[in-house]
Amino acid sequence: MISKLSFFLFALLNIRVTAFPRLNVNGVKGLTQVAQNSSGSPHLAKRNEAECPHLTKNKELKRQTAFDPTSQQVSTTGEYAWVAPGAGDQRGPCPGLNALANHGYLPHNGVADIPTIISAVNTAYGMGIDLGTFLAVYGTAFDGDSLSADPGYSIGGPATSDGILTSGLLGTPSGLSGSHNNYEADTSPTRGDLYVVGNDYLLQVDRFQQYYDALPENTPAPEQYAALFPFRQAQFNNSVATNPYFFFPQFAGVFVSPAGYAFPPRMMANHSAEYPSGYLDKASFISFFAVTGDSGAFEYTAGWERIPNNFYRRPLSDPYTLPDFVLDVLAFGLLDPRLLSIGGNTGTTNSFTGLDVSDLTNGVFNGAALTEGNNLECFILQLVQAEGPTVVAGLYENLTAALQPLASTISSNLAGLGCPQLGAVNANMYNIYPGYTKAKGV
C-alpha cells in the first residue's frame, strides 16, 4: 500500500497542482523557479560560475524584478487575522512558524501536517517548494511522526493532534522546542544556548537588541543579509566563549543555524516599488519577533509573533530555494570557515575543536573542499541520511518506513549534482563533545 505521505511526495516531485490547494497559478509556476543569479546575491557577484554550478545550471531562468502588489500582498485580515495563542497552543523557536499559526496559515494549535506547512511558508513568505519540503519532511522525521495518517510535527513542544503524532511511535515526539542538536542549535541570533540559559526556544532580549542594531536601515534585503556577517560571527564566538557544551553539528549547526540570519532579510522583508528585492524595516522586524517597545527597552511576549499589516512577500516567481540558501550559507562560511565546521567545545569554554571531515566520512569528503561545487549540499544531505537511523532509533518501531520520505526528498534534491557517494560514517567521533553526549543522554 502507498502511504499518504509517499503519494504526496510523488505528486510534489511531479508538480501536481492538487497537492497545493492554497497556491494560485503563479505559485505553481514558482515551483520550477530554482534559479540563482549574482544580482540576487550581491555578496556572490564575483564568484566564478565554475565554483557554483547552480548559477550555471539556472542562469537562463529569469526571476521577477518588478513589484506586483496584487500578487505579493499577504492577507492579515478575515480568516488570516491575528489571534493570540491560547492555553495548549504550541509555539516554539521559529518566529516565522509562530506567526503563521497566529494568523491561521498553520493550525492555531501549532501542530501541522507536511502539506500545510509547505503551502503556508510558500504562500506567506515565498519559500521555495524544494526548501520548504525538505525542512518539513526533516522536522517530521526527527521531531514529529512520519508514520501517522497525516505526518507532521509540533512547532513548539510535545503535542498530539487528530491524525498527527499518534501512531507507530516508541516515544513522544519532542516538537521543535525539544529539537536541540537535531534541528535547533547553539549560536542562534535571538535564542540562547540551551545549556547556558536553560531553554532554546524563548527569545533573549539582549540578543534581539544586537540583531536589531546590526540590521542596516534603508537598505535592500540582499545587502542587509551581507551586513549581518559580523553579528553572525560574534554569536558563534559567544557560544565558544560562554558554553562549555557548545556543539555545532552538521545539520542543525552548519546548515540550519544560518537560517536565523538569512531567513528574516530573505523572507520577512517587505517588498515595494522602491525595494523590489525587499527591505526588512525595523517595525516589521520587531513584529515578526513578538517584540514591542522602543530600542533599548524592548519587551518580548512569547508566542505573539505577528505578520505586519500591509506585508508584501517576495514574488512566487522568485522563491527562496534550497540552492539560494546553500549559497547564503557558503557566503558566510567563506568569510569564516568555522561556520562550515562540525565541532564544538570539549568540556570547557574556548576549547572549540573541529572534526576532521575526511575521517568522519572515510575519505569521501574533505573539509577543505566543502566550498567547492556542490560539495556542501552533497555532504550535509547525505550525512543526514546516513545518521538518521541512529538519531531516531528510540522514536520509531519501523525505522526504514519512518525515514523513507526523508530519503526520497534527499534523493530528489541531490539528483543531477554528481555527488560523491557517502556510505557509513564514524559517528563515534562526536563523543569527544560533551554537548553531543549530553543531548543524547549519555
Side-chain angles (χ1 to χ4, degrees):
M1 176 181 291
I2 300 176
S3 70
K4 181 184 291 188
L5 179 57
S6 297
F7 178 80
F8 165 73
L9 291 174
F10 173 80
L12 174 69
L13 297 178
N14 287 278
I15 314 178
R16 301 296 178 94
V17 177
T18 54
F20 302 99
R22 291 186 181 180
L23 298 181
N24 57 23
V25 173
N26 290 330
V28 175
K29 290 179 180 177
L31 305 188
T32 62
Q33 298 300 307
V34 294
Q36 172 65 46
N37 56 39
S38 59
S39 63
S41 297
H43 51 285
L44 293 168
K46 296 182 180 180
R47 294 291 306 276
N48 187 309
E49 286 187 351
E51 296 180 80
C52 300
H54 290 302
L55 300 181
T56 304
K57 178 181 177 182
N58 299 300
K59 72 179 187 177
E60 298 302 322
L61 296 175
K62 300 200 178 194
R63 291 181 157 189
Q64 177 178 331
T65 56
F67 173 60
D68 180 6
T70 301
S71 65
Q72 290 179 242
Q73 186 170 26
V74 175
S75 176
T76 56
T77 62
E79 65 177 311
Y80 301 117
W82 184 86
V83 178
D89 290 333
Q90 296 294 329
R91 300 294 184 268
C94 178
L97 295 179
N98 292 345
L100 291 176
N102 291 338
H103 282 277
Y105 287 95
L106 292 178
H108 197 261
N109 67 359
V111 184
D113 62 24
I114 289 174
T116 301
I117 295 168
I118 298 170
S119 177
V121 295
N122 177 265
T123 299
Y125 300 136
M127 180 182 285
I129 297 299
D130 58 344
L131 179 57
T133 298
F134 176 70
L135 293 178
V137 172
Y138 179 95
T140 296
F142 288 89
D143 304 303
D145 181 5
S146 64
L147 294 179
S148 69
D150 294 295
Y153 62 84
S154 163
I155 67 174
T160 60
S161 183
D162 292 343
I164 303 175
L165 316 182
T166 57
S167 68
L169 299 175
L170 297 175
T172 301
S174 65
L176 295 188
S177 292
S179 65
H180 188 61
N181 285 349
N182 70 47
Y183 204 116
E184 175 278 331
D186 298 328
T187 77
S188 166
T190 62
R191 272 58 182 173
D193 287 7
L194 175 62
Y195 300 125
V196 174
V197 304
N199 75 77
D200 53 10
Y201 51 86
L202 295 177
L203 180 141
Q204 305 297 310
V205 174
D206 59 338
R207 286 201 177 201
F208 178 81
Q209 180 72 62
Q210 294 173 44
Y211 200 164
Y212 180 93
D213 293 341
L215 195 66
E217 295 188 272
N218 303 315
T219 303
E223 295 174 30
Q224 287 183 300
Y225 173 66
L228 289 174
F229 171 72
F231 172 60
R232 168 65 169 136
Q233 188 177 50
Q235 296 309 312
F236 189 95
N237 291 340
N238 179 70
S239 289
V240 172
T242 64
N243 183 2
Y245 295 102
F246 172 42
F247 180 55
F248 205 61
Q250 86 289 353
F251 184 76
V254 173
F255 194 69
V256 174
S257 69
Y261 302 85
F263 284 11
R266 295 302 192 185
M267 289 183 286
M268 293 178 177
N270 213 339
H271 291 68
S272 64
E274 182 180 7
Y275 293 104
S277 62
Y279 162 50
L280 182 54
D281 62 275
K282 297 297 182 73
S284 296
F285 183 57
I286 67 173
S287 177
F288 271 117
F289 281 81
V291 171
T292 55
D294 297 324
S295 178
F298 284 134
E299 295 183 3
Y300 165 60
T301 305
W304 280 39
E305 290 84 354
R306 182 192 297 257
I307 299 173
N309 294 328
N310 299 312
F311 177 66
Y312 297 86
R313 55 151 167 74
R314 63 187 298 146
L316 291 181
S317 58
D318 179 23
Y320 188 66
T321 65
L322 181 59
D324 293 333
F325 182 45
V326 170
L327 289 172
D328 277 343
V329 173
L330 282 170
F332 281 6
L334 288 169
L335 298 175
D336 186 342
R338 296 176 306 165
L339 300 178
L340 301 179
S341 300
I342 299 172
N345 281 341
T346 56
T348 60
T349 56
N350 294 309
S351 60
F352 184 85
T353 302
L355 185 149
D356 189 310
V357 168
S358 181
D359 289 344
L360 176 69
T361 63
N362 296 301
V364 176
F365 289 96
N366 184 307
L370 288 182
T371 61
E372 299 175 3
N374 300 308
N375 285 345
L376 180 64
E377 188 172 352
C378 292
F379 170 65
I380 294 293
L381 298 190
Q382 288 191 86
L383 201 58
V384 166
Q385 189 168 2
E387 296 180 349
T390 300
V391 175
V392 300
L395 182 60
Y396 296 106
E397 294 178 359
N398 188 332
L399 293 179
T400 301
L403 293 174
Q404 187 277 327
L406 180 64
S408 296
T409 303
I410 289 174
S411 295
S412 174
N413 281 305
L414 295 182
L417 296 187
C419 296
Q421 294 303 299
L422 178 64
V425 297
N426 298 316
N428 62 338
M429 294 181 66
Y430 298 136
N431 292 334
I432 67 168
Y433 304 112
Y436 170 79
T437 57
K438 186 177 180 71
K440 296 296 180 187
V442 177

